[in-house]
Amino acid sequence: MTDSRRSARRPGPGTVLWGSVALFAVLFALLTLQLSSGADPTLSGATAAAPVQVRKVIKRRIVTTIVPRPGTTSVSSGPVTSSTAEAPAEAVTTSAS
Amino acid sequence: MSEHDITFDAMGSHVRLLIGEPGTGLAPAAEAAERARRFIHGFDAALSRFKPESELCALNRDRRERVPASPLLRQAVSAGLAAAERSDGLVDPTLLGAIEDAGYTISRAGMSGMPLTEALAEAPPRHPAHPSPDQSWRRFEIDDAAGEIVRPAGLGFDTGGTGKGLAADLVAASLRGYSRFTVDCGGDIRIGGADALVHPYEVFVEHPLTGERAYVVRLGSGGVATSGLNVRIWRRADGRYSHHLLDPATGEPAWTGLVGATALADTALEAETLSKAALLSGPERARELFAERGGLIVHDGGRVELVGPLAAAPRIRIPADAGLAGVAR
């Protein structure tokens, strides 16, 4: 009876205080490490590095050279690269021209 | 989601069209692309100042005050005047004589330019360009009822400052109803289509000094255009460097402290106008011009500065369906 009472005794206020401080310090250190490595947990849902999407692009590329008929005044053009793909091969670029 | 991708040369530049799925009753994307390609070549043939047989050259040679003009030429002149108005005369389409005096008399497409860094080292002190005091462009009038352009004989017009943006917008108008599309006329780009709002296009902004990617814009609709000194730069007979963006007040090449400017706007024409006006204005005014829609300026030393909404955009990757966003690279 006496032994079971002793084991159920609640910890003293000092133990609680120092236990809390220690737990806080450990959690704080872990969060600091995580933030400094660039993995902010509050951003993880929307902005974590998206997994690389591997797209299988089946692409048909036709290169046509249009040669104007002699004597015509219609406009001519250089080589035309024309293709249809499931996704654009590369982004467009804006630059001075 | 298939997309037709066509690339060809026109207007002294590379042109690229990306066209998605057609809406009900519309021609397949490949057919629309071919039609657009023909239109752009026709546009170039009619409006190039480097082709003596073009309607623009015929207008500039004509000694009459009132000159009959096709709807396309009237539209192009009208666009040039609108750009002058929008930029308070900085984007001046009547500097034809000055640009020819500066040595830009033939198309420089495909020609390797002089190194910009050398030109910058020898360039005069930097200062903003200013509108021409006589504002000659105000003497042009469009008489659509009569189908004529009215101006003093001998006053030349150059559509070069606005032509590519206008061409991109006109082609874009013909692509309404396609799921999404990009019209890129030599870096003057117009984007549209409902799907583009959900899956925006990535637009790379080229750095004028390094040629590398300075920034990436995700754009679901509207226009983006870049003006820069890195192309079309040459040495004059007297040894001085020259380029194609003139200070309207002096008729001399403008050295303003900026070597590149990229603007976002509702249309490609407006973006082109804003980018040229910003480059000609110098850094301080460029920030004001880009404050509303956003843009990017590149200083002489190569520093890239984001302006307006682009500067406020988070510098992190954002999910593709988030509309317009910037991604610094």
Side-chain angles (χ1 to χ4, degrees):
Chain A
M1 186 88 174
T2 306
D3 288 339
S4 67
R5 273 185 190 164
R6 191 177 297 137
S7 64
R9 196 174 63 191
R10 292 190 300 180
T15 310
V16 170
L17 177 66
W18 286 111
S20 302
V21 168
L23 185 62
F24 173 79
V26 168
L27 287 173
F28 188 78
L30 281 172
L31 275 170
T32 305
L33 271 174
Q34 192 174 0
L35 282 172
S36 64
S37 67
D40 187 340
T42 60
L43 299 177
S44 61
T47 60
V52 176
Q53 288 186 344
V54 179
R55 286 181 180 162
K56 187 176 181 183
V57 178
I58 301 167
K59 188 166 182 179
R60 176 169 55 89
R61 185 171 285 262
I62 306 163
V63 177
T64 313
T65 302
I66 299 174
V67 180
R69 280 176 290 179
T72 60
T73 56
S74 62
V75 293
S76 64
S77 69
V80 178
T81 303
S82 175
S83 64
T84 301
E86 289 303 309
E90 58 189 47
V92 286
T93 299
T94 179
S95 60
S97 61
Chain B
M1 184 177 66
S2 78
E3 193 155 57
H4 192 77
D5 183 347
I6 180 170
T7 306
F8 54 93
D9 289 339
M11 300 185 287
S13 300
H14 298 299
V15 176
R16 186 173 181 209
L17 309 173
L18 296 169
I19 305 174
E21 304 283 358
T24 311
L26 292 176
E31 197 177 318
E34 177 57 20
R35 199 167 52 228
R37 189 185 69 80
R38 286 179 194 279
F39 171 80
I40 289 172
H41 281 303
F43 186 100
D44 189 19
L47 301 176
S48 171
R49 73 177 174 91
F50 303 117
K51 296 176 178 168
E53 69 279 12
S54 73
E55 191 182 4
L56 178 67
C57 286
L59 169 71
N60 287 335
R61 280 193 304 265
D62 204 306
R63 306 309 298 174
R64 294 171 290 179
E65 276 206 2
R66 302 184 71 93
V67 183
S70 69
L72 180 62
L73 180 58
R74 297 202 304 275
Q75 199 168 16
V77 171
S78 185
L81 298 179
E85 191 77 55
R86 175 77 173 82
S87 63
D88 295 326
L90 269 182
V91 181
D92 190 332
T94 58
L95 299 177
L96 184 58
I99 193 76
E100 288 178 344
D101 289 347
Y104 192 9
T105 53
I106 56 168
S107 171
R108 306 188 71 82
M111 296 168 72
S112 56
M114 304 299 289
L116 177 55
T117 45
E118 277 182 29
L120 288 170
E122 293 184 22
R126 315 303 194 252
H127 61 79
H130 294 286
S132 163
D134 62 1
Q135 307 238 330
S136 299
W137 56 274
R138 292 194 185 277
R139 302 167 77 186
F140 268 80
E141 285 176 31
I142 313 292
D143 186 343
D144 280 319
E148 293 174 337
I149 291 170
V150 187
R151 87 294 176 244
L155 181 58
F157 198 94
D158 180 13
T159 57
T162 50
K164 295 186 190 83
L166 175 64
D169 289 335
L170 292 176
V171 171
S174 76
L175 296 176
R176 271 193 209 115
Y178 287 83
S179 60
R180 68 176 201 160
F181 56 82
T182 290
V183 183
D184 172 7
C185 292
D188 291 353
I189 296 168
R190 178 71 185 267
I191 284 170
D195 276 4
L197 295 171
V198 183
H199 303 289
Y201 285 97
E202 278 194 339
V203 180
F204 296 165
V205 179
E206 185 184 280
H207 195 292
L209 289 171
T210 65
E212 293 175 354
R213 191 182 308 168
Y215 195 71
V216 183
V217 177
R218 287 179 193 271
L219 201 57
S221 71
V224 55
T226 296
S227 291
L229 306 186
N230 52 313
V231 293
R232 292 170 168 78
I233 187 160
W234 64 92
R235 252 190 209 280
R236 295 182 187 196
D238 62 7
R240 287 183 298 158
Y241 279 103
S242 192
H243 61 77
H244 69 300
L245 293 171
L246 303 185
D247 180 346
T250 63
E252 293 291 317
W255 304 97
T256 65
L258 295 179
V259 290
T262 298
L264 299 177
D266 288 339
T267 66
L269 175 62
E270 191 182 2
E272 185 176 24
T273 303
L274 285 173
S275 68
K276 280 192 170 57
L279 190 65
L280 289 166
S281 302
E284 201 168 318
R285 175 81 179 121
R287 291 184 193 108
E288 294 172 14
L289 287 167
F290 288 174
E292 187 183 342
R293 290 302 306 272
L296 177 158
I297 54 179
V298 184
H299 295 259
D300 277 6
R303 184 169 69 86
V304 176
E305 180 182 344
L306 304 177
V307 183
L310 285 192
R315 306 289 292 275
I316 51 176
R317 182 172 285 280
I318 283 180
D321 58 357
L324 169 63
V327 183
R329 295 282 165 94

